[in-house]
Amino acid sequence: MALLECFYPDLYLDSTYEIDFEALYRKGYRGIIFDIDNTLVMHGAPADDRSIALFERLRGIGFDSMLLSNNKEPRVKMFSDAVNSRYIYKAGKPSPKNYRKAMEIMKTTEETTLFVGDQLFTDVWGAKKAGILSILVKPINPREEIQIVLKRRLEWIVLFFYRRDRKRSAQ
C-alpha cells in the first residue's frame, strides 16, 4: 500500500504525555511543533495543569516549542499564553509552509524538529511533507465535530495498513 505511506506516522502512541522527550533530546531533537486540540487537551479546552507542566518540562530539557493550529487566533493565543509557547494560527495544515515557518522561528532544521498531532491527513501528512519526524497520538476525546468524524473513518483504513505493514517489517 505504498500509496498510503505518505500518511504513515514515524511513531504512533496513545498520548502526547507518554512521549519520552528526554530520549528525543538525546537523539538531537531541539524543536517540537504541537497541534493543540485533541493532542494536548480536549477540543476547545483551555490549557490544563498537565499541558502547562509538559511545556515547563520541555523548557527544562532544553526544547523550543511552537503551536501550529488550523484554528483561529483567539483559541490558539489563549492556549499559547497559558503554556508560554509561540504559535501560528490558521496554519493551513497539511501545507508544509507553516511547519517550515515554525522551524525558522525556532531556528531548527528538519533533522532537529519533530511534530506531535492527532490527525493523519493534516498533522502527519504536513509534517512528512515538511520533512520532519511525525508522532501521531490518539485523540484525547473521541467525540468530535462531524467533519473530523468522517476523516477519522478514513484514518482507520490508513492505520489498518500502517499496523499491518509495521507488523510485516518487524518479522
Side-chain angles (χ1 to χ4, degrees):
M1 260 296 142
L3 176 68
L4 298 178
E5 287 179 9
C6 67
F7 302 113
Y8 287 5
D10 295 303
L11 282 169
Y12 181 33
L13 301 169
D14 286 338
S15 168
T16 300
Y17 299 97
E18 72 174 37
I19 297 170
D20 188 345
F21 290 106
E22 290 81 1
L24 291 165
Y25 191 85
R26 286 191 301 273
K27 288 181 179 179
Y29 292 97
R30 296 297 181 263
I32 307 172
I33 305 170
F34 285 100
D35 176 52
I36 301 171
D37 289 317
N38 261 338
T39 298
L40 294 164
V41 293
M42 290 190 339
H43 188 85
D48 56 12
D49 292 343
R50 186 168 71 156
S51 58
I52 293 167
L54 174 65
F55 280 81
E56 287 174 7
R57 176 178 151 216
L58 294 173
R59 281 188 292 279
I61 295 168
F63 277 110
D64 199 352
S65 67
M66 289 285 299
L67 301 170
L68 189 67
S69 176
N70 284 346
N71 219 318
K72 295 177 180 145
E73 188 172 23
R75 161 64 180 143
V76 182
K77 183 178 182 342
M78 172 188 67
F79 193 91
S80 167
D81 288 348
V83 299
N84 194 21
S85 180
R86 291 169 293 182
Y87 65 91
I88 297 171
Y89 66 97
K90 287 190 178 178
K93 294 180 290 184
S95 168
K97 176 185 166 200
N98 282 315
Y99 291 79
R100 292 187 182 118
K101 181 178 177 186
M103 287 187 277
E104 190 177 304
I105 292 167
M106 293 188 296
K107 297 178 176 42
T108 58
T109 65
E110 289 89 349
E111 295 78 28
T112 62
T113 308
L114 62 103
F115 182 87
V116 182
D118 70 301
Q119 292 189 51
L120 288 175
F121 303 126
T122 52
D123 298 331
V124 169
W125 192 26
K128 290 188 82 87
K129 290 197 292 184
I132 62 177
L133 183 82
S134 61
I135 300 177
L136 177 70
V137 295
K138 292 180 181 171
I140 290 173
N141 184 354
R143 290 180 34 214
E144 299 175 294
E145 298 169 357
I146 187 65
Q147 69 272 19
I148 296 174
V149 170
L150 297 174
K151 281 196 281 186
R152 295 281 186 215
R153 302 260 160 117
L154 295 172
E155 286 182 352
W156 292 340
I157 296 165
V158 175
L159 289 171
F160 168 82
F161 289 105
Y162 167 78
R163 288 183 185 108
R164 186 197 69 184
D165 292 351
R166 295 291 278 225
K167 202 176 286 182
R168 284 182 179 166
S169 65
Q171 293 174 350

